Amino acid sequence: MSAHDVVVGIVADAVKEFLNRLCECQRLMETHARDIELANVADAVTKALSEGREGEFGPVVVKIHKKFLGRREVRAALYGREVTVDELLAEISKAKSRAAWLAADCSEQALVEALYRFEDRYLIDVVQRNFSSFRKACKGETPHIDFGEAPAHVIEGTVRGVREYLANHGGGS
């Protein structure tokens, strides 16, 4: 086995590892889509609750019922299910934590940083330039990759890595 073949194999392994992480993040984003949606409206909901305002905020509905002697009762619904304010705030807190975790661990930057240990700037450049195209592999499709000025070992390794990833995950050719 030549040195070129060894380096191509290292690049292929790096690409497979990157695709595994990318696709796992895609699955997590889909699994936690409701948390992300709730986290996106969290500030508006908590502000409405603190101000005693009614409103619809994505999956959350806040209703204020006036009671005897000017007292108010706050009612909330989350995804159509009535919840107490405490339950709603607990769900918002959990959703914000999950969304923050996903934003940090699954950001494009975090996924690309995992390739830094391979110390191949051409591979990193190819991944950064084609990030959205690589997402197609998560659906079992072969991504179209713009290699630019990448050397042969990066091109061959990337193609092999994508092909092996797709073969092991039920897609592509």
Side-chain angles (χ1 to χ4, degrees), residues 28-125:
L28 287 169
M29 293 287 201
E30 291 168 10
T31 300
H32 296 291
R34 283 182 148 203
D35 290 321
I36 294 167
E37 180 183 25
L38 183 55
N40 286 336
V41 299
D43 291 340
V45 171
T46 54
K47 185 175 181 182
L49 289 171
S50 70
E51 294 174 353
R53 265 188 312 112
E54 289 189 338
E56 289 188 31
F57 310 91
V60 178
V61 176
V62 175
K63 297 273 186 194
I64 308 295
H65 295 286
K66 299 209 189 291
K67 297 187 98 179
F68 187 64
L69 296 174
R71 294 181 55 117
R72 296 180 294 168
E73 179 184 47
V74 179
R75 294 203 175 179
L78 176 60
Y79 291 107
R81 183 177 63 88
E82 191 166 321
V83 294
T84 67
V85 171
D86 288 341
E87 289 171 325
L88 176 61
L89 292 174
E91 289 299 316
I92 286 173
S93 179
K94 287 190 285 188
K96 285 174 70 172
S97 293
R98 282 190 195 107
W101 163 65
L102 286 170
D105 286 4
C106 290
S107 70
E108 184 173 327
Q109 184 61 33
L111 292 169
V112 171
E113 280 177 8
L115 296 172
Y116 288 2
R117 69 185 177 92
F118 294 98
E119 297 180 4
D120 192 318
R121 67 181 179 90
Y122 293 106
L123 173 60
I124 292 166
D125 180 57

